């Protein structure tokens, strides 16, 4: 059994297509197919259901591809460990990031890259917490930044990063006479645009409001914080965003920010990675960086009013 055969097997499981898998491995399709047939012969079980096209993995293949991913991940970890002993950390660190943390991830990756200049970092910032956890377990990601609530992270390490709190943005005229803080009941009386209900950040918001007998019924829903700010900038809308976004996205002219309370809506953001040994040396280095970053203190300043 060769690592190359396992790489082809994992690529086919990922791409679900012989030609695409071969292209991703920089080999011809016949070469990939022949390598997989030899792997099946060596293992003594069928791995792939074949017809005129790829029809999926066999039940044996579905089980054994997990081992293939693990073996390749351990090989990569070994290579990174050896490189670290020789010249310092090298390689590629793959991080999955929920959209809500895409504005704060630089507070972690920037110091990490300063500490480890030979490491390349690849960020994927449009993933759900559940998707990130599943891809870490499949060894497709080294680490992830996710919401702590509502996700099974058994078998993973969890490093707290910061608490995400929500604030209200609205035009000056909508907030006439209001300063500092505003209750949710008062905010929901305004023309509201919010993130749509399929996003975890919105679900956490709705769950907190339901506990107080409140419900948000926005006229406009979107999957884009930029779109929220664009509507608020007209002066006719109010929106709710995580406070950390305001560090990187300027508040539109004529818009004010108020702290929301009754209830205070917050969510814990954590860094997760595989917990097994020896594990990814790059993920361990990222955890060390996170432990010294103190993001809660950096992001804990009150929002401007």
């Amino acid at each position: 059994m060769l690592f190359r055969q396992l790489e082809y097997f994992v690529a086919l499981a990922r791409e679900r297509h012989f030609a695409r898998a071969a292209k991703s491995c920089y080999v011809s399709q016949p070469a990939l197919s022949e390598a997989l047939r030899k792997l099946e012969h060596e293992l003594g079980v069928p791995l792939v259901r074949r017809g005129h096209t790829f029809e999926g993995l066999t039940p044996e293949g579905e089980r054994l591809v997990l081992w293939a991913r693990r073996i390749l991940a351990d090989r990569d970890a070994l290579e990174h460990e050896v490189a670290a002993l020789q010249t310092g950390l090298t390689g590629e660190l793959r991080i999955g990031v929920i959209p809500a943390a895409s504005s704060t991830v630089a507070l972690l990756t920037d110091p990490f890259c300063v500490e480890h200049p030979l490491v390349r970092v690849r960020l994927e910032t449009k993933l759900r917490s559940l998707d990130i956890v599943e891809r870490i377990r499949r060894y497709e990601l080294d680490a992830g930044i996710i919401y702590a609530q509502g996700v099974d992270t058994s078998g993973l390490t969890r490093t707290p990063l910061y608490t995400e709190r929500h604030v209200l943005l609205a035009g000056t005229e909508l907030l006439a006479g209001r300063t500092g803080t505003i209750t949710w009941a008062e905010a929901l009386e305004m023309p509201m645009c919010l993130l749509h209900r399929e996003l975890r950040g919105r679900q956490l918001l709705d769950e907190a409001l339901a506990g107080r007998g409140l419900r948000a019924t926005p006229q406009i829903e979107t999957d884009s914080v930029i779109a929220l700010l664009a509507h608020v900038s007209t002066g006719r809308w109010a929106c709710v965003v995580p406070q950390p976004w305001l560090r990187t996205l300027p508040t539109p002219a004529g818009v004010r920010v108020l702290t929301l309370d009754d209830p205070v809506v917050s969510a814990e953001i954590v860094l997760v990675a595989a917990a097994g040994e020896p594990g990814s040396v790059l993920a361990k280095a990222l955890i060390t960086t996170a432990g010294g970053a103190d993001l809660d203190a950096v992001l804990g300043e009150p929002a401007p009013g």
Side-chain angles (χ1 to χ4, degrees):
M1 183 189 309
L2 303 174
F3 283 129
R4 181 178 66 255
Q5 293 171 309
L6 298 181
E7 290 170 351
Y8 295 171
F9 182 31
V10 168
L12 182 61
R14 181 183 66 247
E15 300 294 340
R16 319 297 289 184
H17 190 276
F18 280 103
R20 289 199 300 268
K23 183 178 180 180
S24 71
C25 294
Y26 303 100
V27 296
S28 68
Q29 183 174 332
L32 180 136
S33 296
E34 180 61 22
L36 291 177
R37 290 186 188 280
K38 289 182 179 179
L39 179 61
E40 289 176 315
H41 179 73
E42 290 179 36
L43 295 175
V45 294
L47 300 174
V48 181
R49 291 191 287 113
R50 295 175 177 85
H52 293 296
T53 60
F54 175 78
E55 296 181 355
L57 300 182
T58 63
E60 297 89 345
E62 293 287 358
R63 293 184 62 180
L64 294 181
V65 73
L66 300 177
W67 283 99
R69 290 180 179 129
R70 179 174 180 176
I71 291 168
L72 293 175
D74 285 344
R75 178 205 59 183
D76 293 342
L78 173 62
E79 292 175 349
H80 292 155
E81 191 80 45
V82 171
L85 292 173
Q86 295 173 337
T87 61
L89 288 183
T90 61
E92 181 179 72
L93 175 65
R94 304 161 299 173
I95 309 173
V97 184
I98 56 174
S102 60
S103 68
T104 57
V105 65
L107 297 175
L108 184 59
T109 53
D110 176 63
F112 176 85
C113 289
V114 171
E115 295 167 11
H116 308 289
L118 299 180
V119 177
R120 303 181 309 278
V121 176
R122 176 161 62 86
L123 299 174
E124 296 188 39
T125 61
K126 296 182 179 180
L127 302 175
R128 299 181 304 160
S129 296
L130 180 61
D131 297 329
I132 292 171
V133 167
E134 289 179 347
R135 290 184 62 182
I136 291 174
R137 288 181 174 141
R138 295 200 303 264
Y139 302 98
E140 294 175 358
L141 292 172
D142 300 299
I145 299 177
I146 67 170
Y147 284 116
Q149 299 99 319
V151 182
D152 177 13
T153 57
S154 57
L156 304 182
T157 63
R158 288 169 48 130
T159 304
L161 293 179
Y162 61 91
T163 300
E164 174 190 270
R165 296 177 177 83
H166 288 77
V167 294
L168 178 81
L169 278 71
T172 302
E173 293 185 8
L174 285 178
L175 295 177
R178 300 182 187 276
T179 59
T181 63
I182 186 171
T183 68
W184 271 98
E186 294 170 328
L188 293 176
E189 293 177 357
M190 301 179 184
M192 188 71 68
C193 53
L194 294 175
L195 295 175
H196 65 61
R197 301 175 190 275
E198 296 176 5
L199 296 176
R200 183 57 182 159
R202 170 66 186 279
Q203 292 169 0
L204 293 170
L205 184 156
D206 286 343
E207 290 165 8
L209 294 181
R212 296 296 182 91
L214 299 172
R215 185 180 177 213
T217 55
Q219 186 175 357
I220 296 175
E221 292 184 315
T222 176
D223 62 354
S224 166
V225 173
I226 297 296
L228 292 181
L229 297 181
H231 282 85
V232 170
S233 68
T234 68
R236 294 187 294 273
W237 300 89
C239 76
V240 176
V241 299
Q243 180 180 325
W245 280 92
L246 302 183
R247 288 181 53 87
T248 52
L249 294 176
T251 303
V255 172
R256 291 172 52 211
V257 181
L258 295 186
T259 301
L260 283 157
D261 64 13
D262 194 25
V264 172
V265 179
S266 63
E268 298 301 316
I269 306 297
V270 298
L271 173 68
V272 292
E277 291 294 339
S280 165
V281 66
L282 299 182
K284 290 179 181 178
L286 183 66
I287 291 170
T288 299
T289 299
D294 199 6
L295 299 190
D296 231 345
V298 173
L299 297 170
E301 301 88 354

